[in-house]
Amino acid sequence: MCGIFGYCNYLVERSRGEIIDTLVDGLQRLEYRGYDSTGIAIDGDEADSTFIYKQIGKVSALKEEITKQNPNRDVTFVSHCGIAHTRWATHGQPEQVNCHPQRSDPEDQFVVVHNGIITNFRELKTLLINKGYKFESDTDTECIAKLYLHLYNTNLQNGHDLDFHELTKLVLLELEGSYGLLCKSCHYPNEVIATRKGSPLLIGVKSEKKLKVDFVDVEFPEENAGQPEIPLKSNNKSFGLGPKKAREFEAGSQNANLLPIAANEFNLRHSQSRAFLSEDGSPTPVEFFVSSDAASVVKHTKKVLFLEDDDLAHIYDGELHIHRSRREVGASMTRSIQTLEMELAQIMKGPYDHFMQKEIYEQPESTFNTMRGRIDYENNKVILGGLKAWLPVIRRARRLIMIACGTSYHSCLATRAIFEELSDIPVSVELASDFLDRKCPVFRDDVCVFVSQSGETADTMLALNYCLERGALTVGIVNSVGSSISRVTHCGVHINAGPEIGVASTKAYTSQYIALVMFALSLSDDRVSKIDRRIEIIQGLKLIPGQIKQVLKLEPRIKKLCATELKDQKSLLLLGRGYQFAAALEGALKIKEISYMHSEGVLAGELKHGVLALVDENLPIIAFGTRDSLFPKVVSSIEQVTARKGHPIIICNENDEVWAQKSKSIDLQTLEVPQTVDCLQGLINIIPLQLMSYWLAVNKGIDVDFPRNLAKSVTVE
Ligand code: UD1
Ligand code: BG6
């Protein structure tokens, strides 16, 4: 949930000012991933010195801090590596001392930026304190920087002048938990290390000359290397190695795969990465942009390489080397340099005040993009390229388990009934954290569907690993191409909604919803008995983008409601039933997360079992009263509310006689939306609630793109 950015220029002259601006601009595009504090590290004025600038708050505050410190911006660097970070606190308050980069010592010999959590940091910290290291922050990250220094010094004392990546391997051997990590050091000038485990990292490459090949070879330690020296063990018996690591280490020592020492790898230091070779073998000017998110890289280059878990990238002398500590059977020997198709304009705010507003308004287009090329409306066919080959296996599943968090979970709830109806397979919907807490039984003939906008949510990712271990087939419904969930699942569907930057998920919800409906339709395309229902839904989907456009016209009325009746309210109830229960939950979540108003989605059928006690003339209530087979029951629930002097706002279909009649005798208002097929109505009904949460928040002066205590991508448990 933090953001990492790194910039390396090689034989491309840049002033310090330009380097700072590049790093700060990179952070600005990552701000949505975490924004309680920021920082950068660059080379200082003296050889071996480093400048670290940090500040609490947004990137704009860091900019001011740097201006205040007034570094000489005109000094130029032909080659240089800088690292940067935007943080969302997990260990330690958002205080300046807890901002990244974290350093090894007051001389800043090793500086580190980190996403994720080091779970054994307390043990490491105790050990390092016992060795005389003085900690200055509450972060888990600081122990990584200090570990670098400690291992660097002990190896040097033992006559091992380790290469930066070899030293990093020793450091990683000590770490448990998850990380996306960049490290820079005055002992390795103009070099940077980028490595990941459970936290995304990608590297953009920019070069005037065409790359020789569009991949980078993965480098392994030599198979038949001799017995290594073991600096940690020889220097300190008790240091570091936890039981798991110790086992891996022992195994490594026996088969010489996990060797933590340099001797067997010296030859690799000089092997060149083929992609960066020039025709005549001379050095090629090149720039590298390392980031946790493509959004900060596209401005500079579209050529990117996604690192895999346990990849250790070493950038130096204009080359990018990717190391792994051991060979795994069947693992890829290369990492491809791909071309991103994301335009920078896609991630800018355009004419809107907030990303959230922009993304709400993008929905006619984003929902269209989700369906583009996948639905043949003439022949009523749905073809999902990513699932086609897997459908026969999925149809044989004993059950479908849908697993997700937050808004993504609501898209599963919204489509569960249509899955069951079209596929005749039992479907359960699970919150990822609860699913794991219960250690839910999973079998080889289960199909587990993971829904995630970011594709990086830790709880969902852990649940995915859990299901993979149990042999289930896993399907991803993901927005971010190249994300962990998209890559680890057996198959899946990219929802193609485009980057979603506002923390409150809006367009990803409607696109997930549609992707799931298309999935359900694909499962039933061999069923004669379902033909009419399928045609009805496919033709309904065709109209959705236009209908969303129409609902968006309600904005002025909703804005007014938010400024009058709903203003200064403490609480709000949302009533829905059947397909509209998910809309009630999602609407309530939007209102809570953005406007900080208590809001609750209630199953209308449950009203009489407790919630009615809350209803009086003051409590604002919004009820979904659109037409479907449950309509009479919904009307009856709403009558229970009005009988207790409640005066609900009803989201209903245009020109609905029932509500027109009722509004003559009962105190209620209506917000009219177009009618569609029952299982798609939730796509339309959620739009007024997205707008309502937006205006409730804006009226209170809240920065909706940065709600308090929330991050866009939650990559910790
Ligand atoms: C793919 C291409 C698209 C191209 C189209 C043309 C990608 C990302 N998409 O789209 O650019 O226009 O073919 O035929 O290259 N997958 C997972 N897990 C997930 C999501 C996807 O494993 O969570 C897999 C799918 O099974 C598939 C691949 O990723 O193998 C691409 O999925 P998707 O983008 O949905 O496929 P197409 O719509 O066919
Ligand atoms: C976070 C976000 O909690 O993660 C929510 O604030 C989001 O908006 C949830 O719904 C799940 O994220 P994802 O990326 O897995 O869909």
Side-chain angles (χ1 to χ4, degrees), residues 133 206 285 343 437 454 474 478 500 568 576 589-590 622:
Y133 289 88
K206 185 178 174 188
E343 290 298 331
D437 289 347
S454 62
T474 60
V478 168
E500 187 180 68
D568 297 330
L589 180 64
K590 286 286 91 78
I622 295 172

Side-chain angles (χ1 to χ4, degrees), residues 404-412 451 503-506 508-510 512 586 589-590 593:
C405 306
T407 292
S408 299
Y409 169 75
H410 294 151
S411 73
C412 301
V451 184
V503 167
S505 184
T506 51
Y509 177 73
T510 43
Q512 286 167 341
E586 173 58 10
L589 180 64
K590 286 286 91 78
E593 63 184 341

Side-chain angles (χ1 to χ4, degrees), residues 338 341 370 372-374 383-388 390 450 452 455 464 474-496:
Q338 309 173 15
E341 280 170 21
T370 305
R372 185 164 54 190
R374 291 164 161 172
I383 297 173
L384 295 171
L387 289 186
K388 209 165 61 180
W390 298 84
F450 298 86
S452 172
L464 167 56
T474 60
V475 182
I477 307 291
V478 168
N479 194 25
S480 298
V481 178
S483 62
S484 302
I485 294 174
S486 153
R487 283 184 295 123
V488 174
T489 40
H490 291 100
C491 56
V493 184
H494 289 118
I495 65 171
N496 298 344

